[in-house]
Amino acid sequence: MMKNREIIVVGGGMVGALTALLLAKQGFVIHVIEKNPAKSPLIDSPFDLRVSAFSVQSKNLLEQAGVWKDIPENRLCAYQGLQTWEVGSNKLIFDSTELGMETLGYIAENRWIQAVLWQALERQDNVTLHENRELLSIEQSDNAVTVQLDNQQVIEAELLIACDGANSATRQLLDIGITAWDYRQQCMLINIKTDCAEQNITWQEFRETGPCAFLPLADNNASLVWYHSPEKIKQLQSLNNIQLKNQLLLEFPKLSFNFDVIDKGAFPLTRRHAQQYFKGRAVLLGDAAHTINPLAGQGVNLGFKDVQCLLDLLVHSSDLPMNKLLKRYEMSRKPHNLLMQSAMDIFYKSSKSKLGVVRMLRKAVLFGAEHSGQLKNKVMKYAMGL
Ligand SMILES: Cc1cc2nc3c(=O)[nH]c(=O)nc-3n(C[C@H](O)[C@H](O)[C@H](O)COP(=O)(O)OP(=O)(O)OC[C@H]3O[C@@H](n4cnc5c(N)ncnc54)[C@H](O)[C@@H]3O)c2cc1C
């Protein structure tokens, strides 16, 4: 194992903070540079709109980092069922018991995951947190990468890991291009409080206007996800919570319980993929390298797989020159991320297609998958990262 090697991590979101913590636990000396540091949320605060479905593999990584146990029980929901269907057709049903698993995954707020990671980083002697800081410049030589921060501080390291999100300023400083397109759709997130106990099934209905999804949250909370045109989302955003509830009752798939709208917000959907994952001694991870249509909740899970891959290489292939090591990382992660992006696009486009034949094909795929036994379970295990 390499000891006392310095690494700069830019961006302390879920991906950057996990990267920094796992590397620190391997003995690396870490500098985290974060523009907007994580604030510790209050245990009884209302649920934040930004929630993610975490795969079992992602949970395992957070356990490896020692922070899974720190997520408060009342902010974490395990789900045992996942259902998806094309409007007016049969459901494709996944059940954890069929897979011999306790759960299919977990739903939690992004800010809580980030917060427990930051609390653990603060306890590490070999981590320096540079809060409210950005990079001014990056210079590279054969043996080192040197950055200047906006307080003029200069840091030299063996490796720079950029985890500064979809609009990565580091990626731009490195002059790494992206391929990108706008989905011409937005996603409305609506937090509700229901009149029934905690649910354990997440579902998604595909419609011509885009998917509608239900994500259970801890206790009697839930997140509704409504994909639609930017015009429609703008109209929905202009409604107050009572008007929005009425609109949900009219237009959203039927909910089997009473509820109140607590919070709402809209997010544009853009697909981006970096044309290269590294340059010299700087490497991209998470949303800095790729953003994906969130319809299957894979974004941060892919980012965590990037983390696992780079960590394994840095720990187990430390004899490789850095350029070869980073090439291996790119060769391992780029095709996988591209495949997942493309798979999500096929689902997204076919659900919006007005062509009967395309929608029939999608229905056939869902019907075939439901009746495919082992194959269905294999698909689910792949999505769970197992
Ligand atoms: C509507 C929606 C729903 C989603 N649902 C899911 C889901 O269910 N499951 C899932 O797996 N994924 C989901 N995703 C995707 C997931 O949210 C992202 O993949 C994930 O947040 C990316 O994490 P990250 O750490 O790479 O980037 P970010 O979360 O964007 O973090 C980047 C960090 O870098 C910091 N930063 C930014 N610029 C700079 C700078 N110049 N210098 C220093 N620091 C900087 C930021 O402050 C932030 O802390 C969803 C996304 C959307 C939009």
Side-chain angles (χ1 to χ4, degrees), residues 11 13-15 34-36 50 52-53 164 287 297-301:
M14 292 189 285
V15 171
E34 168 57 54
K35 190 163 85 166
N36 311 298
R50 292 301 307 269
S52 294
D164 48 349
D287 274 22
Q298 285 296 321
V300 76
N301 293 305

Side-chain angles (χ1 to χ4, degrees), residues 55-56 79-84 92-96 98-99 101 103-105 202 296 298 373-386:
S55 68
V56 172
Y79 59 92
Q80 282 77 40
L82 186 153
Q83 303 182 353
T84 178
L92 174 59
I93 298 173
F94 297 97
D95 192 316
S96 62
E98 274 181 38
L99 296 167
M101 307 283 301
T103 181
L104 295 179
T202 178
Q298 285 296 321
Q374 284 307 307
L375 176 64
K376 183 180 95 166
N377 291 347
K378 277 192 179 149
V379 168
M380 192 61 220
K381 283 200 167 167
Y382 184 77
M384 292 163 77
L386 297 172

Side-chain angles (χ1 to χ4, degrees), residues 55-324:
S55 68
V56 172
Q57 190 185 32
S58 292
K59 177 223 178 191
N60 292 344
L61 258 190
L62 290 163
E63 256 175 356
Q64 191 183 322
V67 298
W68 184 256
K69 61 179 179 1
D70 300 334
I71 306 166
E73 248 177 54
N74 69 338
R75 313 301 298 200
L76 188 64
C77 176
Y79 59 92
Q80 282 77 40
L82 186 153
Q83 303 182 353
T84 178
W85 66 91
E86 170 97 28
V87 67
S89 72
N90 293 337
K91 286 183 180 174
L92 174 59
I93 298 173
F94 297 97
D95 192 316
S96 62
T97 48
E98 274 181 38
L99 296 167
M101 307 283 301
E102 265 178 38
T103 181
L104 295 179
Y106 302 84
I107 301 171
E109 293 151 278
N110 297 0
R111 66 177 182 182
W112 265 104
I113 304 298
Q114 196 191 4
V116 295
L117 286 165
W118 269 73
Q119 285 157 14
L121 284 173
E122 280 163 5
R123 295 191 292 268
Q124 288 283 144
D125 291 341
N126 53 345
V127 174
T128 310
L129 298 168
H130 302 261
E131 300 182 34
N132 304 306
R133 290 282 159 252
E134 288 185 66
L135 295 192
L136 285 184
S137 65
I138 304 172
E139 280 180 26
Q140 303 215 44
S141 67
D142 284 348
N143 301 319
V145 51
T146 309
V147 300
Q148 188 178 21
L149 308 190
D150 54 2
N151 61 352
Q152 309 308 322
Q153 186 180 350
V154 172
I155 306 171
E156 191 184 82
E158 288 201 24
L159 177 65
L160 181 154
I161 305 178
C163 308
D164 48 349
N167 297 311
S168 170
T170 314
R171 190 181 63 217
Q172 289 163 40
L173 279 175
L174 292 166
D175 205 17
I176 294 180
I178 51 167
T179 47
W181 67 77
D182 200 283
Y183 286 105
R184 288 197 300 272
Q185 236 199 359
Q186 290 201 358
C187 167
M188 181 110 180
L189 301 181
I190 305 162
N191 279 0
I192 59 170
K193 222 174 220 325
T194 74
D195 68 350
C196 58
E198 183 171 314
Q199 320 243 343
N200 63 358
I201 294 176
T202 178
W203 53 254
Q204 181 148 241
E205 177 179 285
F206 286 92
R207 298 169 160 203
E208 208 179 282
T209 48
C212 293
F214 171 87
L215 280 77
L217 300 174
D219 295 335
N220 58 340
N221 298 285
S223 166
L224 305 179
V225 193
W226 198 350
Y227 294 74
H228 219 300
S229 64
E231 298 75 33
K232 175 74 177 180
I233 297 291
K234 198 171 165 196
Q235 181 253 323
L236 293 174
Q237 274 190 292
S238 70
L239 304 177
N240 65 32
N241 288 354
I242 293 169
Q243 292 166 328
L244 183 58
K245 174 179 173 174
N246 290 332
Q247 200 86 16
L248 285 162
L249 291 171
L250 277 175
E251 293 186 44
F252 204 74
K254 190 168 165 39
L255 299 169
S256 57
F257 43 75
N258 195 10
F259 64 94
D260 286 321
V261 171
I262 305 297
D263 199 5
K264 58 188 183 293
F267 298 84
L269 302 179
T270 308
R271 168 178 165 157
R272 300 177 191 79
H273 208 165
Q275 281 154 3
Q276 56 194 95
Y277 276 22
F278 73 99
K279 199 169 202 178
R281 289 176 169 271
V283 61
L284 309 179
L285 269 70
D287 274 22
H290 45 78
T291 59
I292 181 172
N293 192 317
L295 67 83
Q298 285 296 321
V300 76
N301 293 305
L302 291 183
F304 281 9
K305 284 186 180 177
D306 295 347
V307 179
Q308 173 88 73
C309 176
L310 187 64
L311 178 79
D312 285 349
L313 285 165
L314 285 168
V315 172
H316 300 300
S317 304
S318 56
D319 50 329
L320 281 179
M322 192 57 87
N323 64 338
K324 287 218 166 94

